[in-house]
Amino acid sequence: MSTHKIDADLLERAAAWSAQDPDPVTAAALRGLCAAAAAGDAAAASELADRFAGFLAFGTAGLRAELGPGPNRMNSMVVRRTAAGIGRFLLAAAEGTYTPRAVIGFDARHNSDVFARESAAVLTAAGIEVQLLPSALPTPVLAWAVRELGAEAGIMVTASHNPPADNGYKVYLGGRAESGWGQGAQIVSPVDAQIAAQIQHDEPMADIALATEGWSVLPGAGQPGDIEGGYLDTIAGVVPAAGGLGGDPITAARENLRIVLTPMHGVGGHTMAQALGSAGFSRVRLVSEQAEPDPDFPTVAFPNPEEPGALDLALALATDTDADLVIANDPDADRCAAAVRFPDTGWRMLRGDEVGWLLGDRSAASASDGAVLANSIVSSRMLASIAAAHSLAHENTLTGFKWISRVPSLAFGYEEALGYCVAPSLVRDKDGMSAALMLADYAAELKAAGSSLPAVLDALALAHGLHQTDQLSVRVADLGLLDTMMESLRVAPPAALGGEAVTGFEDLSLGANLPPTDGLLFVTAANTRVIVRPSGTEPKLKCYLEVLSPVAGRGDLPAARAAGTARLEAIKQELAGLLNR
């Protein structure tokens, strides 16, 4: 074991933290870390320094970090101070004219229920009217409840699809604290800074009042006014109502579709299965190994449907049961992944953009005059073409549904990271369950007509040009490397990518067409587009690639896809080299 002389001030700050920590588990862990660091353990000293390197930043993504003691981790001290700051913000916004209301939800991750109850206790003591979801439920249920209940704030304790050791804190504004198209959406600037300014990081725990009662728990399953049931009743309207009889065409089509469903060890399984069953999808098979919530996510390396291997169990069950469609929700069920069987290549997970095209085209067909389709700037350009074909407007936004959901007159919005908003009037955020319901209905209708989702993707390519997308992600241990890599491309942008001359370069941090964001956009002579940006939730640099190829007929598609795949691979290899990978 290597030795290291620990900074006395750091040990003093850590000891003061552990003395105030209301959680005996994290307090003991911190004392143990301090003892090891004081004894000369270099690894413990480094870990301790990282935990006290600063305060966990509150931003437009709320909070998200590894669980553990210290101001740079997710724990009860950080959560209580954050809740107190949110309470101050809400009371200041009310200016004494009303009593603010907040609704709080939580998933099944480690300590999610604890952090939710502590938040309820802090806010109630501060004079906020608080309603707590009755059990671990999906994020879209909370997002829907904010609007349904007219709450000024919504708090969801979740780290979405992050690793098991993480947790987070997502904040929505609504009611009398937010108006217009942002009502019920996640916070954006400058609200994030205003809340952050109200969080007093050095506030003694003894000064933060905790109520022992006074908040209400919303009705659960089997009770009148069941909040989950209310959400399910509402999203049922995203698909046509079935007649309920086997002879009804809609019912017959849905009964004939074989679905494999996995909630990825998250909280969406029960809700999603009910949504499908109530709509008439009677042939749904849950992946048993992943059906129940488990905060350790034992069958996947990362609980994210996008990660390699995450859908292996679902695809195996689909093969064994001759299924037509695989649906996967991430652990808090605000994202939706899908896999289908292609005629020549077999089962494949659809890219997030492909699902976006399918749902976008489906939504556009029934959208009213003046409706808008929107997607994040890193998503495919095809949705803009789809909107034009339906005489609808289209908008690009910054990455994140906090921006997409605020687009005025939004009818459908998506981002390539498996996020879809098919019912903005119901949930002003991405919703993996209503999206899955609409996709399943589309698949059932197509199967009944002798067609399929892959056939629709071919038709979209013929109508709008073949769009192919891919990603390169560079994961780093040192977040400082992200700035270094971005700056190297900013200062010396490549003259060519994959043999295609770069004819357009835009530094998105300058905010020419959108609000400033840390990103770089490249366009080649062949109309290939590449966007490079740091991830907002993970220590990654992400590169988003899209190549376009015109196709004259269906027979040209196989060769065009092969050529496009080769172009994408060449650009990925070149980018990897530029980023020293």
Side-chain angles (χ1 to χ4, degrees), residues 85-98 100 128 194 198:
I86 292 171
R88 294 185 190 105
F89 168 82
L90 292 173
L91 290 170
E95 297 181 328
T97 61
Y98 60 85
I128 311 296
Q194 292 167 359
Q198 296 284 0

Side-chain angles (χ1 to χ4, degrees), residues 169-528:
Y169 210 74
K170 189 180 294 187
V171 180
Y172 299 79
L173 280 191
R176 292 156 288 188
E178 179 69 78
S179 60
W181 295 98
Q183 190 168 78
Q186 292 183 58
I187 59 171
V188 295
S189 180
V191 169
D192 59 331
Q194 292 167 359
I195 293 176
Q198 296 284 0
I199 299 171
Q200 299 172 12
H201 294 290
D202 294 322
E203 185 174 15
M205 283 294 99
D207 290 354
I208 300 178
L210 288 175
T212 57
E213 57 183 13
W215 63 87
S216 62
V217 178
L218 291 165
Q223 298 177 306
D226 167 24
I227 195 72
E228 182 188 25
Y231 163 81
L232 286 167
D233 289 344
T234 303
I235 69 163
V238 304
V239 297
L245 300 174
D248 170 65
I250 295 176
T251 301
R254 292 174 185 171
E255 288 178 345
N256 193 40
L257 191 77
R258 295 181 293 271
I259 299 173
V260 165
L261 170 66
T262 175
M264 205 71 68
H265 298 294
V267 295
H270 180 259
T271 311
M272 188 72 249
Q274 286 187 89
L276 291 169
S278 296
F281 294 95
S282 57
R283 304 175 74 178
V284 179
R285 293 284 298 272
L286 269 163
V287 177
S288 59
E289 300 93 332
Q290 300 173 336
E292 295 301 320
D294 188 330
D296 294 318
F297 309 107
T299 68
V300 292
F302 284 91
N304 180 352
E306 293 179 293
E307 293 288 339
L311 290 189
D312 284 357
L313 288 172
L315 292 175
L317 181 58
T319 300
D320 290 345
T321 58
D322 195 28
D324 301 299
L325 176 67
V326 169
I327 291 171
N329 292 122
D330 70 334
D332 70 328
D334 64 349
R335 299 171 193 252
C336 168
V340 294
R341 189 167 36 195
F342 285 78
D344 300 325
T345 56
W347 280 98
R348 175 174 72 78
M349 178 177 158
L350 296 175
R351 301 195 67 83
D353 282 311
E354 291 176 314
V355 176
W357 305 334
L358 291 165
L359 293 176
D361 194 54
R362 182 77 160 173
S363 299
S366 59
S368 58
D369 291 343
V372 178
L373 307 186
N375 56 262
S376 61
I377 190 173
V378 298
S379 302
S380 168
R381 291 166 284 181
M382 186 189 280
L383 189 66
S385 181
I386 290 172
H390 289 274
S391 300
L392 299 174
H394 172 267
E395 284 196 27
N396 279 317
T397 75
L398 295 180
T399 303
F401 261 85
K402 56 184 175 285
W403 301 109
I404 296 170
S405 62
R406 291 171 180 270
V407 171
S409 303
L410 183 69
F412 169 77
Y414 93 95
E415 60 182 2
E416 48 71 42
L418 309 181
Y420 311 98
C421 180
V422 301
S425 63
L426 307 180
V427 176
R428 201 60 60 82
D429 196 7
K430 57 185 176 291
D431 182 350
M433 292 178 290
S434 59
L437 188 59
M438 180 180 283
L439 189 67
D441 179 62
Y442 198 7
E445 178 185 305
L446 290 168
K447 182 180 180 182
S451 185
S452 65
L453 295 175
V456 174
L457 290 174
D458 284 352
L460 290 172
L462 293 173
H464 305 284
L466 178 62
H467 292 58
Q468 292 171 276
T469 61
D470 205 348
Q471 279 191 35
L472 171 69
S473 292
V474 180
R475 186 178 288 271
V476 298
D478 179 4
L479 289 175
L481 290 174
L482 296 179
D483 292 335
T484 301
M485 290 188 288
M486 287 294 293
E487 192 60 23
S488 68
L489 288 177
R490 185 174 278 117
V491 172
L497 287 169
E500 301 175 11
V502 173
T503 56
F505 170 66
E506 183 179 348
D507 185 345
L508 300 176
S509 68
L510 301 179
N513 300 306
L514 289 169
T517 186
D518 190 8
L520 302 171
L521 184 151
F522 305 89
V523 179
T524 75
N527 206 17
T528 293

Side-chain angles (χ1 to χ4, degrees), residues 31-48:
R31 288 193 297 270
L33 194 61
C34 287
D41 185 331
S46 176
E47 177 68 16
L48 190 64

Side-chain angles (χ1 to χ4, degrees), residues 2-63:
S2 60
T3 60
H4 178 84
K5 186 175 180 180
I6 188 69
D7 180 71
D9 177 66
L10 175 58
L11 282 176
E12 185 177 336
R13 286 189 290 130
W17 181 281
S18 64
Q20 292 190 70
D21 194 340
D23 184 342
V25 175
T26 51
L30 185 55
R31 288 193 297 270
L33 194 61
C34 287
D41 185 331
S46 176
E47 177 68 16
L48 190 64
D50 184 61
R51 290 174 183 269
F52 283 82
F55 296 104
L56 190 59
F58 183 91
T60 55
L63 299 173

